[in-house]
Amino acid sequence: MTIYKAPVEEVGFLLNDVFQFDRYNNLPGFADAAADVRDAIINEAARLSEEVLHPLNAVGDHEGCTRHDDGSVTTPAGFKEAYRQIAEGGWMGLSSPTEYGGQGLPITLTQTVQEFLNSSNMAFAMYPGLTMGAAAALTVHGSPEQKQTYLPKMVSGEWTGTMNLTEPQCGTDLGLLRTKAVKQADGSYKITGTKIFISAGEHDMADNIIHLVLARIEGAPAGIKGISLFVVPKFLVNPDGTVGARNGVMCGSIEHKMGIHGNATCTMNYDGATGWLVGEENKGMQGMFVMMNEARLGVAVQGLAQSEVAYQNAVEYARERLQGRALSGPKATDKPADPIIVHPDIRRALLTMRAFNEAARALVLWTALKSDVAHRSNDAKERQAADDHLGLMTPVLKGVLTDGGFANAVAAQQVYGGHGYIAANGVEQFVRDARIAMIYEGANGIQALDLVGRKLPRDGGRAVMAFFAEVGAFAKEHGGDEAMKPFVAPLSTSLGHLQKATTWLMMNAMAQPDNAGAAATDYMHLFGLVAMGYMWAKMAKVAQDKIAAEGATPYLTRKLVTGRFFAERMLPETALRLTRIEAGCNTLMELPAEAF
Amino acid sequence: MTIYKAPVEEVGFLLNDVFQFDRYNNLPGFADAAADVRDAIINEAARLSEEVLHPLNAVGDHEGCTRHDDGSVTTPAGFKEAYRQIAEGGWMGLSSPTEYGGQGLPITLTQTVQEFLNSSNMAFAMYPGLTMGAAAALTVHGSPEQKQTYLPKMVSGEWTGTMNLTEPQCGTDLGLLRTKAVKQADGSYKITGTKIFISAGEHDMADNIIHLVLARIEGAPAGIKGISLFVVPKFLVNPDGTVGARNGVMCGSIEHKMGIHGNATCTMNYDGATGWLVGEENKGMQGMFVMMNEARLGVAVQGLAQSEVAYQNAVEYARERLQGRALSGPKATDKPADPIIVHPDIRRALLTMRAFNEAARALVLWTALKSDVAHRSNDAKERQAADDHLGLMTPVLKGVLTDGGFANAVAAQQVYGGHGYIAANGVEQFVRDARIAMIYEGANGIQALDLVGRKLPRDGGRAVMAFFAEVGAFAKEHGGDEAMKPFVAPLSTSLGHLQKATTWLMMNAMAQPDNAGAAATDYMHLFGLVAMGYMWAKMAKVAQDKIAAEGATPYLTRKLVTGRFFAERMLPETALRLTRIEAGCNTLMELPAEAF
């Protein structure tokens, strides 16, 4: 019932015109992703998403996953075959190192593909997505032997991967973790404990599942400093690389949850399972952070992705549903009523989604390019600046894109009226699926705390100062340009709000840390609005330059109108966010817990 | 898994202290609702909701309703017995006329009971709720014979009622309605057509179901002016009042939908069903408006109700979940971690819900009292003023309380982290159930249009001017009181925003109606914020007076803190709403439909 068309033209505008992808040709892998190669990849990813994965989205929601008495799990009809196409097409190794069979192409391309996969079928896209996250952690922290054993099969998609952090008593606070690891004579460990909420923990799509597991080695220090990372395969791997004996890890149950029914969310029971240490003893958080940062950007993309597919369906419905007449007089006089897209309130909702989507996509690709630079540049200063950006923007993107993605899925559902509440029309699934992205990989409140508590003060505020300098320089350069004023003037105002909020935090959070906590969520959204406003100003500049050079097109005109909408109606929210931040923590902290 | 405790103390504070219920003792029915009677009613409604209905809430969600091949529908286990208790307890007739077996008590009391029922089990509460709406329409527009035939049985709960408006091609725009009515020799009509989304359309809880149906009499004018209202019982009623032959109306299917699974949402097929005209030919909208206005306030209460129960569960979770330590240093040093309620960001979320709930409840009871005055006062001027208020506030309450109720259910779910996404923990049901309230009885965008297009200009703006005068007078009276400044100063600022927005609409919407449409949703929320800010200022004044007279209590202290939170962090949103309104419609209307 739902439609999806991958936003290929948008991606082209961003990569080619706004971010000038080709100017990164000095970085490894970029020259292999010249315009024609990029187009081929993007178009094929679009086709797969539209034709193969999207038709399975409702099926996955309706059927869900089934756990059998032996602990095995069956995925929804069609998932296994679709996964085979993803693996055989080499999609999981698009940006993986060539030495493990990957194609070594820029992460920026992978993020584009990820958006399409997650728009078309988020529950499905998590299987390859988590595998790529686990492979990234092994690439950075695994021993040469571990890399040889696992990475080629994960890059090829023959095996999938998972992250095992959460336990019943331990979510955000990993220091509370209880899963135990006992060292064996052969250097391996016996892992025992229960992990919950393990996405893709068990399924029928791959020959093996490689679990990355946080556990505490016997005798290790309490808290976060006693946590180690282990690789625990579902099937032990024989010396020749073939799959061997079943390991002592089982799916104990799968969760009945609000959405992403097509993904198996498992309770995993480790009962003396054999595992191997990844990286150093008690330094497990380092490896996990590689996975989590990768995963957080991946979740940000899910927010955008659900917003995009929800938007597309809402537009389709708004163009087709005939109901009432335009306030300014009938438009479709040959029909019994006008399509509801004539109504300004419907357009307000649609443009809110569209303006968000286009800025969010720009933020994702901008940040993905920085990730490529951080990982591939020869220039240490360039790498550092890119890494600063990546660290700063990761919590902002995760929090803002998933909050916004959910809000837009709800807004899209609202366009449908009562029909949006009916399961068969599909839009309510977008709402239920999008909801999890605000929660997992660190609930958005935790992202906000990460931003104000860690990313902001780090290195004396170097990252945030660089961001202010870049946005400020853009505003200064184009502030005198009359055509750019509708974009630059509000951006300057909002940048001022962000700077004021940052100063307020510096002045007030040191003495009273609760002021940081009280400001965190509003600060994260304030930051996200300014970053989106900057993306809009950049896009508007490019659109205006192209119009000046080649003349107006419907695409470029829409770009400017949508950007004006953002500047007029969405960006001004920064003032409200600043007001809330400056309210401080006192009122929040006044009541005892029992008074709530 | 979920808890619910009816907010009895809150209701007492509002009825006794803020609105001084007893000063309405000159109105019929009020003297019968003296303090001891009120307390008995409220406490018994609380008990029923907590002990009988809430335990069935998850059952209803999980089991849903089942349609059988013969068109009959079974409700979830326990619903039938619970309904019997509601009917036998006289709850459906609490405010109904005594001549039909009701108790004639104030509507204000019924709204309080409705909140409790809807918090504890929204899908269930719709069965009696819709019956009361249908009974209200028959009370106003039915013939003496129709009233005698149907009302006693509906008031007693032996029979239930429904509203049949929507058809596949006809939702908001009732002018597109196709269901036909053909007059018979005996004065009855044969009704033929298909109605969709009929809540409680078929079920197993009552002996008869009285459908109120909009249809078009053969030869009637096209559009909204050719619509008539009919009463169509599921079983024809014998002259002696007993149930007779089955009528030609059947449930064709029940919808699989996002939430309120315990309520049967039916497609109703009318196949030459026998019906009788209610009111005059082609004046069906009048009778339907009685039901719709009643229903819209009922839906507003659902928004509050879901927000309240979601809040209570989030607080419970936040007090029990141990995770991390307070930013200002450990609090529960005897435990492995602090309860998450120590974190300012969690408190921000909880206080946002609480500040909304308390103001929303005040708005509901204030408006319910006006409804009592409008229906029961002897003084024509008083009746008119109360009716003005009712008309003005109905769309505001419906739109703002349901948008806010849903947002708060989502925020409550967020407090749970990953556990909030798991069905067994119950909070995700609140989100799915609360979602429908933004849609049915006129989607919230339609409420906003009703407000700016109809309610605002009506009678030269008399209603809105009275509202401004009342809030302005309060601000003037208490503006000099130092203790009231934290409440009154922000209220005055926000009232200024609302007045400016109203003037802007007067200046700009006449010439260009799309400016009204473009402003509608923001205007509705701006109005709601000011109305809530006024309720908070009133509650703060009463709390301060009580503290001055009797000393501080934890209850009164919390009231003032929560009110300050609203003034500091929620009320300032009015500035953003004004900015958006003043942006006008131009950017919204610029793109052709195909450019979206």
Side-chain angles (χ1 to χ4, degrees), chain B residues 56 59-66 74-81 127 204-205 261-263:
Chain B
L56 297 176
V59 176
D61 185 58
H62 189 252
E63 272 190 32
C65 296
T66 311
T74 311
T75 51
F79 271 42
K80 193 171 173 173
E81 165 58 20
Y127 294 99
D204 56 357
M205 303 195 304
H261 296 161
N263 200 280

Side-chain angles (χ1 to χ4, degrees), chain B residues 270-511:
Chain B
Y270 291 83
D271 186 13
T274 301
W276 289 270
L277 186 66
V278 178
E280 293 175 49
E281 278 190 17
N282 302 332
K283 304 277 188 197
M285 293 306 291
Q286 291 177 359
M288 206 40 96
F289 268 123
V290 173
M291 258 164 82
M292 280 198 320
N293 279 330
E294 181 112 350
R296 283 174 178 183
L297 282 179
V299 173
V301 171
Q302 292 183 329
L304 160 62
Q306 289 299 296
S307 180
E308 173 66 32
V309 69
Y311 167 77
Q312 291 186 16
N313 282 276
V315 167
E316 184 86 350
Y317 190 82
R319 275 199 285 245
E320 287 177 3
R321 175 72 170 170
L322 305 177
Q323 208 74 191
R325 290 294 185 187
L327 295 170
S328 53
K331 296 287 174 283
T333 46
D334 57 328
K335 293 188 177 141
D338 289 335
I340 62 174
I341 201 166
V342 302
H343 298 300
D345 192 57
I346 295 287
R347 286 168 166 255
R348 176 194 58 74
L350 294 176
L351 281 169
T352 301
M353 300 175 221
R354 180 162 201 112
F356 172 91
N357 293 348
E358 294 187 12
R361 186 174 297 110
L363 278 178
V364 164
L365 294 185
W366 185 37
T367 302
L369 272 168
K370 299 280 187 181
S371 177
D372 277 319
V373 173
H375 289 101
R376 299 178 186 211
S377 172
N378 287 322
D379 180 336
K381 252 182 102 170
E382 221 177 59
R383 277 204 312 273
Q384 185 191 69
D387 198 58
D388 280 356
H389 175 97
L390 200 57
L392 181 69
M393 295 307 283
T394 295
V396 174
L397 264 61
K398 199 283 185 183
V400 173
L401 268 54
T402 61
D403 276 1
F406 175 73
N408 287 341
V410 171
Q413 183 185 24
Q414 192 71 12
V415 170
Y416 280 70
H419 298 272
Y421 203 64
I422 304 301
N425 293 324
V427 68
E428 62 93 37
Q429 182 190 345
F430 302 144
V431 174
R432 289 184 290 101
D433 286 357
R435 183 66 185 89
I436 189 60
M438 296 159 70
I439 298 173
Y440 60 17
E441 302 308 335
N444 286 356
I446 299 298
Q447 304 299 326
L449 280 178
D450 179 46
L451 176 65
V452 300
R454 262 203 295 247
K455 301 301 174 58
L456 219 52
R458 182 181 280 179
D459 302 312
R462 194 175 63 206
V464 71
M465 291 307 150
F467 176 82
F468 291 168
E470 179 170 347
V471 180
F474 183 94
K476 201 170 166 196
E477 187 182 348
H478 302 289
D481 178 350
E482 201 54 40
M484 281 297 289
K485 275 209 175 124
F487 307 98
V488 172
L491 176 61
S492 295
T493 302
S494 293
L495 177 63
H497 296 152
L498 180 60
Q499 288 170 322
K500 212 170 157 210
T502 309
T503 306
W504 189 91
L505 276 173
M506 279 165 28
M507 310 277 287
N508 293 283
M510 201 81 90

Side-chain angles (χ1 to χ4, degrees), chain A residues 152-337:
Chain A
K153 301 279 192 179
M154 292 171 82
V155 166
S156 71
E158 287 166 87
W159 299 351
T160 63
T162 72
M163 297 167 59
N164 289 239
L165 291 78
T166 305
E167 300 177 9
Q169 80 294 345
C170 148
T172 299
D173 184 356
L174 288 169
L176 300 175
L177 191 138
R178 289 187 196 143
T179 295
K180 266 194 322 196
V182 180
K183 194 163 191 174
Q184 306 297 302
D186 66 353
S188 71
Y189 291 78
K190 291 284 179 208
I191 313 282
T192 301
T194 300
K195 296 288 183 178
I196 62 170
F197 302 164
I198 307 308
S199 299
E202 181 60 66
H203 59 79
D204 57 356
M205 304 196 304
D207 297 336
N208 204 357
I209 302 175
I210 311 308
H211 304 291
L212 290 185
V213 184
L214 288 186
R216 199 180 290 284
I217 296 173
E218 260 191 327
I224 203 87
K225 289 178 178 149
I227 294 176
S228 305
L229 180 63
F230 297 89
V231 56
V232 184
K234 173 180 170 184
F235 292 102
L236 299 174
V237 181
N238 296 321
D240 66 353
T242 57
V243 158
R246 186 73 168 82
N247 202 352
V249 47
M250 297 289 285
C251 166
S253 62
I254 56 177
E255 301 287 0
H256 177 58
K257 56 200 190 296
M258 187 184 195
I260 51 166
H261 295 161
N263 200 279
T265 306
C266 301
T267 297
M268 299 302 294
N269 297 322
Y270 291 83
D271 186 11
T274 301
W276 290 269
L277 186 67
V278 177
E280 294 176 48
E281 278 189 16
N282 302 333
K283 304 277 189 196
M285 293 305 292
Q286 290 177 3
M288 204 41 91
F289 268 123
V290 173
M291 259 165 79
M292 280 199 319
N293 280 329
E294 181 113 349
R296 283 174 179 183
L297 282 178
V299 174
V301 171
Q302 291 183 329
L304 160 62
Q306 289 299 297
S307 181
E308 173 66 33
V309 69
Y311 167 77
Q312 291 187 16
N313 282 277
V315 166
E316 184 85 352
Y317 189 82
R319 275 198 286 247
E320 286 177 2
R321 175 71 170 172
L322 305 177
Q323 207 74 190
R325 290 294 185 186
L327 295 171
S328 53
K331 296 286 172 285
T333 46
D334 57 329
K335 293 186 176 142

